[in-house]
Amino acid sequence: MLRDTIKMMGTNNNLKKYIKSAGMSHAEVAEQKGIAPESLSRHISGRSQFSIQDAMDYAEILNCDPSVLLFEPTKVKVYGTVVDAHTVTMKNASDPEQFIASGFRFPPFVGAFLDTRTDYNIYLQGCINFVDIRPIQNQMVPQSSFGKNSIIKLSNGKVLQRCIYPNPDKTFTIVSYSGKVETNQNLVFACPVLSRVERPELLGVEII
């Protein structure tokens, strides 16, 4: 039965992490669940089996989705870094791989770009941009990127963050966040930005 006792790899670590994220003590969580602190400790350590009903109970207490307690976090590969919402530094084969780990479930075609700010909207330092990376794989400019914030590569090799607009001659007009307009640009690919997480630490999103 689905609701029978189930033990999932990583459940002990996830429970401890989300208790911390909720700003609660182990004693408070145990009291709200109606169990002894020792029983909670066994769930956290993995010494005691963890049921789906337990996950639902803990999720209600911790104000999170039960799935983040039961399953390993989703991993999204990091493809590069956006500097001041302008230029993009792509990772290359010699760089160590990085991933974004979170309880959110993303399709396999989603990748991530880290956001670093030095002098432009500095409060957005540490944001994470999630993008459709299929245009990188297929070297294409999909219609879904038109008029939208995208990670783009120009024919001269530069990678930028821009909003793009198609021209009749198959070139593109690109517009920066600061409003700079450049016309007649040839693009290799354009990856639409799907979402941005501005406070990853408050959502349990980690860079690993």
Side-chain angles (χ1 to χ4, degrees):
M1 296 288 293
L2 180 62
R3 301 180 75 86
D4 287 345
T5 300
I6 182 172
K7 186 174 182 180
M8 303 297 294
M9 182 183 300
T11 298
N12 53 331
N13 294 329
N14 292 345
L15 181 55
K16 182 177 182 179
K17 180 177 76 172
Y18 280 93
I19 291 174
K20 182 178 180 180
S21 295
M24 300 179 68
S25 69
H26 290 188
E28 290 172 329
V29 174
E31 181 181 4
Q32 289 196 34
K33 183 164 167 52
I35 60 176
E38 293 78 11
S39 297
L40 174 61
S41 295
R42 287 195 293 270
H43 278 162
I44 290 173
S45 67
R47 290 181 288 116
S48 181
Q49 289 186 320
F50 199 97
S51 71
I52 291 180
Q53 185 59 54
D54 287 327
M56 295 173 67
D57 294 342
Y58 285 127
E60 184 174 356
I61 295 167
L62 302 174
N63 194 28
C64 65
D65 191 279
S67 66
V68 303
L69 302 176
L70 282 170
F71 302 105
E72 289 287 347
T74 300
K75 291 182 179 179
V76 174
K77 185 176 179 179
V78 175
Y79 283 79
T81 301
V82 183
V83 180
D84 288 330
H86 177 56
T87 59
V88 178
T89 302
M90 298 289 292
K91 282 184 168 292
N92 57 52
S94 63
D95 294 326
E97 286 192 328
Q98 286 183 302
F99 295 89
I100 304 301
S102 76
F104 301 106
R105 305 297 161 190
F106 290 101
F109 59 80
V110 174
F113 284 81
L114 307 181
D115 208 334
T116 184
R117 304 286 174 134
T118 59
D119 59 9
Y120 177 74
N121 287 350
I122 195 68
Y123 58 87
L124 292 175
Q125 168 70 22
C127 290
I128 300 171
N129 299 282
F130 293 98
V131 309
D132 182 345
I133 51 91
R134 288 175 293 186
I136 294 177
Q137 298 167 339
N138 300 320
Q139 300 287 280
M140 62 181 292
V141 181
Q143 189 172 348
S144 58
S145 64
F146 296 175
K148 301 295 182 181
N149 181 24
S150 301
I151 303 297
I152 69 169
K153 182 176 182 179
L154 303 180
S155 58
N156 63 11
K158 290 183 178 180
V159 184
L160 308 168
Q161 185 176 50
R162 292 290 190 272
C163 187
I164 70 170
Y165 300 91
N167 298 323
D169 61 357
K170 297 186 179 179
T171 64
F172 292 85
T173 296
I174 63 175
V175 184
S176 71
Y177 268 101
S178 62
K180 180 182 179 181
V181 178
E182 298 173 88
T183 59
N184 302 318
Q185 300 296 309
N186 292 300
L187 303 188
V188 177
F189 65 69
C191 299
V193 175
L194 305 174
S195 66
R196 182 173 71 195
V197 175
E198 296 191 1
R199 296 297 302 275
E201 74 280 6
L202 299 183
L203 288 174
V205 177
E206 298 177 298
I207 302 172
I208 59 174

